[in-house]
Amino acid sequence: MANKTQEVGGIHFPFPFTPYSIQKDFMAELYQVLEAGKIGIFESPTGTGKSLSLICGALSWLRDFEQKKRQEEARLLETEAAPLNDGKDQPPFCSSFRQETPGTLRPAGDPDWVTQFVQKKEERALVDRLKKEHTRRKEREERLQRMRHNAQLKYAAKRERQEEEETERLLCLSREVLAAGTGAEPLEQLASGEEELVLSEYESDEEKGTADGLDEDEDDLEEEHITKIYYCSRTHSQLAQFVHEVQKSPFGKDTRLVSLGSRQNLCVNEDVKNLGSVQLINDRCMEMQRSKHEIKSRAQDEEEKEPKRRRLEPRAACPFYNYKHLQLLRDKVLVEVKDIEQLVNLGKEAGACPYYGSRFAIPAAQLVVLPYQMLLHAATRQAAGIRLQGQVVIIDEAHNLIDTITGIHSTEVSGSQLCQAHSQLSQYMERYRKRLKAKNLMYIKQILYLLEKFVTVLGGNIKQNPNMQSLSRTGTELKTINDFLFQSQIDNINLFKVQRYCEKSMVSRKLFGFTERYGAVLALPREQPRLAGFQHFLQSLQPGVTEAPAAPVEDGEARAPRSASPLMHVEGFLAALTTANQDGRVILSRQGSLSQSGLKFLLLNPAVPFAQVVKECRAVVITGGTMQPVSDFREQLLACAGVEAARVVEFSCGHVIPPDNILPLIICSGPSSQQLEFTYLKRELPQMMEETGRILCNLCNVVPGGVVCFFPSYEYLRQVHAHWDKTGLLARLAVRKKIFQEPKRASQVEQVLTDYSRCIKCCGQLGGAVTGALLLSVVGGKMSEGINFSDNLGRCVVVVGMPYPNIKSPELQEKVAYLDHTLPRSPGQPTPGKALVENLCMKAVNQSIGRAIRHQKDFASIVLLDQRYARPPILAKLPAWIRDRVEVKATFGPAFAAIRKFHHEKSGLS
């Protein structure tokens, strides 16, 4: 495809083909939002080329922004003095430069000569900084240019890595020969292991931050952060798809793009990656980082003190964390656009860590692609080296943004984890009591006290196995944070200091190392009696453990991944308690046994963590295929985050399909005139389930290919399926369509979709009575998002009833009460709490019905079975491209006739 530059409003947008008019409008509006530094809510239905519009619109703005900035820098450097004295003639970039330069506020009454002196000083500092930035940028561009055109550099790191491995192998052989010749004593593995488990002296609040893992000669891996675009989405597959769109776009050759991911996705050290658990991989990686810096000093000390004796290092430094290799990998990442898989392969070739290599490439990158969680969680953002000040953030697939933020900042801990953490920490303290400093002992005792009180408030006993404890009280209790602290009798503990201690001392990682050694058969014989009960207790808490004795694990046999330390879950709960007060609630869930019970922190106001994002960023764009209803974003997220209404811009474009390629219907009654209203009281009535079956039988007779039917819940789908089977309706449906059901296990989804697709394809080729397949799914389930039912896979989408969330849920009830108390009620509008419930329902419906139309030439009918959809407030929450074409049918006859005519004309069936 030849690139075609489009000019919209005087702005040039490179595009791989002639764009739709709605794409031009999207790019122009996006450009203006970024230029003006606003918050945009953009809706563009699936199939309208949203990703390309985002890429070409945003990168066109960044291209122009960088060009203006370079021009201004050049002008300032030429004159050797920024023209900042006359505020009237200040270009916008001058003022932005001055805002970035730290300065002190001056009293209004200062003499003119003082003001002029300070201004001159600021101007000189600005010019000096611009010179450094210019020099550094020029060096970077020359470095990347050399890498693009020098083929020898491609394999430089790989060759160097092989040479280092050979050198290390020879050194090991020489050490072994030397040790054998001098009669070296056996390795003291236990002593070496013990050293790394003991907590170092804690310096409380005066303790400085931990090292970032870089040596002094590695400082040039970090560069100044240029203005960039952070693009985030929900899953790694969506991010990879976006990166592939960038590669195919006109910007694919010249854009410096970095894909970020977790260690689990990017680690190339097989020993670490095979640990399985995300937390274990993170801990082992960080442990190896510390070992890298400890090895040098420890080796020097041992050579001086014990020249004839060598100790085994507790954990070797990671061979993929090497300065020279990381430097080369960083540059190779910036030279060419790569997704996560390509980045991992590049890291393996270079012998360098893709996780750290991509992080070090962030400052110089123009486009950073990353998952939701990495951007929306402040601590994760900081750890990844992401700086949002003055940057642009695009959040795609943002229809569940509020739920995502709430989920990221909510946490829970089970009774089993509380008891396990208490037992482990008690054993740890007993073993190292004499070696721990007084302050460490004090904080460990406070943590043990907290764990005991948490179990007590649930109604359990910390000294007994949680699996064997039945609770006298059951049910769910919801408390404010202060009420929970008083009820737990921990209001006298400074949770902020305890939480800081956990974070800085890394006690949970030390504890995990302790249990990793002594929780299995790794303890010395003299330690077995003391730790036998501890081992048995740990093993009894592992899920899926049977009563039969486990077979011993041979040295070369792979072990199952160990779960992360339970104290880490407790730390997350403590962190949540210390970060919110009136915006958070604690849920005490008491089930049959203590192990099934637990404590959960619920964040009620997602605007609190999101406020930092909108405050720091230059502009934020929230976009998706289905964003309706958008009132949640405006009121719950942006208004509560302090964003003024004037800064918010809404944009919604139509669909690219012709108007007659879609037939959305609301059907109010069935073939036997049964009113369709699937409320909790009516939907389980036999006549309602039978009427639903009759409607589907009629639809399957006239709709070719695939029909996807969404039910409000898994339980209701099970009830309906059983009733149809009993009454023979299931057999009637099977005459025309082979029936598939959404599986409960996520691992089975791919297989069901494959079989469903194969069945439709075969029926289309062979003909016969069976014309396709019927897929029974659940709104909000595994097939209501991210699944592509294009063309024959989804010629008709049916939604049975309105999938309102469970209003009896304590979490939802508290959220409703919180919104009713916090947000004002608009005249003539429902209460904020009621609006929330309706919006949650319609967001789920909109996602489900959006599965069908996936491209410009696609066609499908959309059938909503419930008369409540015809109410104006509900109709208003449908996507505009559906709302403008929807027809309300009071009776089934006209509706069926319209569907039959639609599919007859579109598919050409007689």
Side-chain angles (χ1 to χ4, degrees):
M1 292 183 296
N3 293 338
K4 298 185 179 181
T5 300
Q6 300 294 316
E7 183 173 344
V8 183
I11 304 167
H12 295 278
F13 294 101
F15 215 77
F17 49 80
T18 303
Y20 305 130
S21 60
I22 59 175
Q23 289 179 309
K24 294 180 182 180
D25 296 341
F26 187 106
M27 291 188 293
E29 191 68 26
L30 176 64
Y31 191 104
Q32 295 303 324
V33 166
L34 302 187
E35 182 69 14
K38 295 192 174 184
I39 310 295
I41 303 175
F42 281 68
E43 181 181 51
S44 180
T46 302
T48 56
K50 171 171 59 70
S51 295
L52 261 180
S53 301
L54 279 172
I55 293 166
C56 296
L59 292 180
S60 293
W61 171 83
L62 186 62
R63 171 204 63 200
D64 294 346
F65 178 86
E66 290 178 342
Q67 184 178 357
K68 292 174 186 175
K69 191 171 183 178
R70 282 194 296 268
Q71 291 173 351
E72 185 60 31
E73 285 179 0
R75 193 176 68 82
L76 292 174
L77 293 174
E78 284 176 4
T79 58
E80 284 293 322
L84 301 175
N85 295 328
D86 186 2
K88 298 178 182 178
D89 298 330
Q90 281 187 21
F93 284 91
C94 289
S95 58
S96 67
F97 288 144
R98 292 197 64 187
Q99 288 171 5
E100 295 172 4
T101 306
T104 56
L105 295 175
R106 298 183 295 278
D110 276 349
D112 290 344
W113 67 270
V114 174
T115 303
Q116 292 175 2
F117 173 79
V118 173
Q119 282 184 340
K120 289 293 184 183
K121 186 177 180 181
E122 289 180 351
E123 292 166 5
R124 285 193 295 270
L126 172 59
V127 171
D128 290 342
R129 184 164 65 87
L130 291 178
K131 285 181 178 179
K132 292 179 181 178
E133 289 180 2
H134 179 77
T135 302
R136 194 146 200 173
R137 183 175 64 246
K138 189 175 180 180
E139 290 175 353
R140 180 182 66 233
E141 291 174 352
E142 290 175 351
R143 190 176 68 240
L144 297 181
Q145 197 69 14
R146 286 196 304 271
M147 182 166 288
R148 280 192 180 96
H149 296 93
N150 190 343
Q152 294 180 353
L153 289 175
K154 183 175 181 180
Y155 302 102
K158 189 174 182 180
R159 289 197 308 272
E160 188 175 345
R161 176 79 188 130
Q162 291 172 343
E163 293 170 0
E164 288 178 357
E165 288 176 349
E166 181 66 17
T167 303
E168 181 63 25
R169 190 180 68 82
L170 293 173
L171 285 174
C172 289
L173 286 173
S174 64
R175 291 194 196 104
E176 290 173 3
V177 172
L178 182 63
T182 56
E185 298 179 14
L187 302 179
E188 295 184 5
Q189 184 175 358
L190 177 63
S192 179
E194 295 288 327
E195 291 177 1
E196 69 171 356
L197 294 179
V198 181
L199 289 162
S200 49
E201 186 171 2
Y202 182 62
E203 300 179 13
S204 189
D205 294 338
E206 289 75 30
E207 178 178 338
K208 296 182 179 179
T210 56
D212 61 2
L214 290 177
D215 290 329
E216 291 181 2
D217 61 346
E218 297 173 355
D219 288 341
D220 65 339
L221 278 173
E222 287 284 358
E223 297 187 22
E224 290 293 325
H225 283 245
I226 67 168
T227 300
K228 59 177 56 63
I229 297 168
Y230 287 99
Y231 171 90
C232 61
S233 192
R234 191 167 52 93
T235 65
H236 282 289
S237 61
Q238 289 169 341
L239 295 173
Q241 185 178 353
F242 179 82
V243 172
H244 295 157
E245 291 288 341
V246 175
Q247 290 172 333
K248 294 184 294 183
S249 77
F251 295 91
K253 297 293 184 183
D254 303 320
T255 300
R256 298 191 299 276
L257 181 147
V258 176
S259 295
L260 300 184
S262 64
R263 287 181 174 89
Q264 188 180 34
N265 292 106
L266 290 174
C267 180
V268 292
N269 187 325
E270 292 300 327
D271 293 336
V272 177
K273 194 167 186 177
N274 288 338
L275 293 172
S277 164
V278 176
Q279 192 61 58
L280 296 187
I281 291 173
N282 290 342
D283 293 341
R284 182 62 54 82
C285 177
M286 296 178 70
E287 188 177 342
M288 296 176 89
Q289 294 299 313
R290 291 193 298 272
S291 297
K292 177 179 183 293
H293 300 282
E294 292 170 359
I295 285 175
K296 293 181 181 178
S297 58
R298 190 179 296 173
Q300 292 174 354
D301 293 341
E302 288 178 0
E303 286 177 4
E304 294 175 3
K305 295 179 182 178
E306 303 177 32
K308 293 184 180 182
R309 185 171 175 175
R310 180 173 62 92
R311 289 182 177 181
L312 181 66
E313 293 298 334
R315 195 81 65 192
C318 182
F320 296 95
Y321 191 91
N322 175 282
Y323 162 63
K324 291 182 179 178
H325 297 171
L326 284 174
Q327 187 182 40
L328 186 61
L329 179 61
R330 174 201 64 185
D331 293 344
K332 293 178 78 172
V333 167
L334 295 172
V335 164
E336 188 177 357
V337 174
K338 289 179 171 59
D339 63 15
I340 290 288
E341 292 185 4
Q342 294 168 329
L343 181 58
V344 170
N345 292 332
L346 189 64
K348 290 178 180 178
E349 289 180 4
C353 175
Y355 176 76
Y356 283 103
S358 59
R359 282 179 56 182
F360 295 138
I362 292 175
Q366 296 168 306
L367 180 58
V368 179
V369 178
L370 69 165
Y372 275 172
Q373 293 80 356
M374 198 173 289
L375 183 126
L376 297 173
H377 191 265
T380 308
R381 194 163 64 232
Q382 182 179 4
I386 296 169
R387 300 178 190 174
L388 297 182
Q389 190 67 46
Q391 309 291 8
V392 170
V393 164
I394 297 176
I395 304 174
D396 201 359
E397 300 296 331
H399 54 275
N400 286 332
L401 178 60
I402 294 176
D403 292 338
T404 300
I405 297 174
T406 301
I408 291 173
H409 294 87
S410 298
T411 183
E412 57 185 317
V413 59
S414 68
S416 178
Q417 290 168 336
L418 292 170
C419 291
Q420 195 176 0
H422 187 278
S423 178
Q424 291 179 2
L425 196 57
S426 298
Q427 295 280 352
Y428 179 89
M429 185 178 69
E430 178 185 352
R431 179 164 185 81
Y432 301 117
R433 181 184 294 272
K434 294 181 180 179
R435 301 184 65 179
L436 293 173
K437 301 295 184 180
K439 192 164 288 187
N440 276 317
L441 284 171
M442 178 192 73
Y443 278 112
I444 289 177
K445 289 179 180 179
Q446 286 189 5
I447 296 172
L448 290 171
Y449 177 79
L450 290 173
L451 293 170
E452 181 178 355
K453 290 301 181 182
F454 288 160
V455 171
T456 301
V457 80
L458 287 172
N461 189 328
I462 196 71
K463 297 180 181 179
Q464 298 177 11
N465 190 313
N467 292 325
M468 308 302 293
Q469 294 187 57
S470 297
L471 303 183
S472 57
R473 293 174 55 194
T474 58
T476 303
E477 194 176 351
L478 197 141
K479 299 283 185 182
T480 64
I481 294 179
N482 286 336
D483 289 345
F484 171 74
L485 297 181
F486 282 110
Q487 183 177 342
S488 304
Q489 299 178 4
I490 59 173
D491 52 294
N492 59 327
I493 300 290
N494 189 328
L495 295 182
F496 291 91
K497 285 191 173 183
V498 174
Q499 192 270 333
R500 181 174 175 81
Y501 171 78
C502 291
E503 178 185 349
K504 295 298 182 183
S505 68
M506 294 180 288
V507 60
S508 61
R509 295 191 177 97
K510 300 286 186 180
L511 186 60
F512 178 77
F514 173 72
T515 57
E516 190 179 36
R517 281 175 170 78
Y518 298 117
V521 292
L522 301 177
L524 292 176
R526 59 186 174 85
E527 297 295 337
Q528 291 285 3
R530 188 199 301 183
L531 295 173
F534 174 47
Q535 296 165 14
H536 177 73
F537 179 75
L538 287 178
Q539 293 168 2
S540 71
L541 295 180
Q542 296 299 321
V545 174
T546 62
E547 294 295 327
V553 179
E554 299 298 331
D555 291 342
E557 188 176 343
R559 299 176 182 267
R562 299 280 303 279
S563 58
S565 168
L567 188 59
M568 294 175 186
H569 295 277
V570 178
E571 288 181 4
F573 184 69
L574 290 177
L577 291 179
T578 56
T579 53
N581 190 355
Q582 69 272 19
D583 296 321
R585 298 290 184 271
V586 178
I587 301 174
L588 290 75
S589 176
R590 300 184 180 93
Q591 305 300 323
S593 66
L594 178 60
S595 62
Q596 296 173 327
S597 304
L599 304 171
K600 180 178 180 179
F601 173 82
L602 175 66
L603 179 70
L604 295 176
N605 187 5
V608 173
F610 194 66
Q612 186 177 2
V613 176
V614 296
K615 181 181 179 181
E616 293 183 3
C617 290
R618 171 195 178 95
V620 176
V621 176
I622 304 170
T623 183
T626 305
M627 299 295 288
Q628 291 292 338
V630 298
S631 57
D632 285 356
F633 300 103
R634 286 199 315 265
E635 297 165 7
Q636 292 185 44
L637 203 58
L638 300 178
C640 291
V643 178
E644 297 179 356
R647 195 185 173 198
V648 181
V649 175
E650 291 182 26
F651 175 85
S652 180
C653 63
H655 214 297
V656 293
I657 61 169
D660 59 352
N661 273 25
I662 179 175
L663 178 65
L665 298 177
I666 296 173
I667 302 179
C668 300
S669 64
S672 62
S673 300
Q674 172 70 46
Q675 289 295 310
L676 301 179
E677 190 169 2
F678 294 85
T679 62
Y680 286 111
L681 296 176
K682 296 180 181 179
R683 69 184 187 182
E684 295 181 7
L685 295 175
Q687 57 266 35
M688 289 294 290
M689 293 189 280
E690 290 165 12
E691 193 77 333
T692 305
R694 284 190 286 268
I695 292 172
L696 279 178
C697 283
N698 280 278
L699 294 180
C700 290
N701 282 333
V702 298
V703 176
V707 177
V708 185
C709 183
F710 289 98
F711 288 82
S713 67
Y714 286 101
E715 176 58 24
Y716 188 57
L717 171 56
R718 186 195 64 79
Q719 291 178 357
V720 171
H721 190 275
H723 186 77
W724 287 351
D725 191 23
K726 180 181 177 181
T727 60
L729 274 166
L730 207 59
R732 286 176 56 191
L733 284 167
V735 172
R736 302 296 286 180
K737 304 287 184 186
K738 185 174 181 179
I739 300 172
F740 294 86
Q741 223 175 324
E742 179 176 318
K744 291 186 177 180
R745 295 183 181 178
S747 58
Q748 298 173 338
V749 170
E750 193 65 34
Q751 186 60 49
V752 171
L753 289 173
T754 300
D755 295 341
Y756 172 78
S757 176
R758 186 183 296 118
C759 173
I760 293 172
K761 185 177 181 180
C762 291
C763 291
Q765 293 174 345
L766 300 177
V770 179
T771 60
L774 169 64
L775 178 59
L776 305 178
S777 306
V778 176
V779 175
K782 304 173 187 66
M783 296 184 177
S784 63
E785 287 191 42
I787 304 297
N788 187 349
F789 293 112
S790 63
D791 299 320
N792 275 340
L793 297 184
R795 287 306 183 200
C796 181
V797 173
V798 182
V799 181
V800 178
M802 297 188 68
Y804 281 106
N806 182 12
I807 195 62
K808 295 182 180 179
S809 161
E811 292 95 333
L812 183 57
Q813 287 181 344
E814 190 65 22
K815 179 79 172 180
V816 166
Y818 176 82
L819 291 178
D820 286 341
H821 176 73
T822 306
L823 298 181
R825 179 179 181 180
S826 302
Q829 297 295 321
T831 63
K834 184 180 179 181
L836 167 69
V837 175
E838 288 184 351
N839 289 349
L840 289 174
C841 170
M842 292 308 298
K843 280 183 183 292
V845 170
N846 291 341
Q847 282 299 309
S848 297
I849 62 181
R851 298 306 92 211
I853 304 295
R854 311 302 288 179
H855 58 83
Q856 185 182 17
K857 296 182 180 180
D858 207 354
F859 67 90
S861 55
I862 297 171
V863 180
L864 304 177
L865 299 182
D866 200 309
Q867 62 183 7
R868 291 175 293 176
Y869 283 112
R871 298 173 184 172
I874 301 298
L875 270 174
K877 298 179 189 296
L878 288 170
W881 63 278
I882 293 178
R883 183 176 63 242
D884 296 341
R885 306 173 190 179
V886 71
E887 299 178 24
V888 179
K889 301 295 184 181
T891 57
F892 183 73
F896 179 70
I899 293 172
R900 181 172 54 190
K901 179 183 179 183
F902 174 82
H903 286 285
H904 174 79
E905 293 176 350
K906 291 300 174 185
S907 59
L909 296 177
S910 57

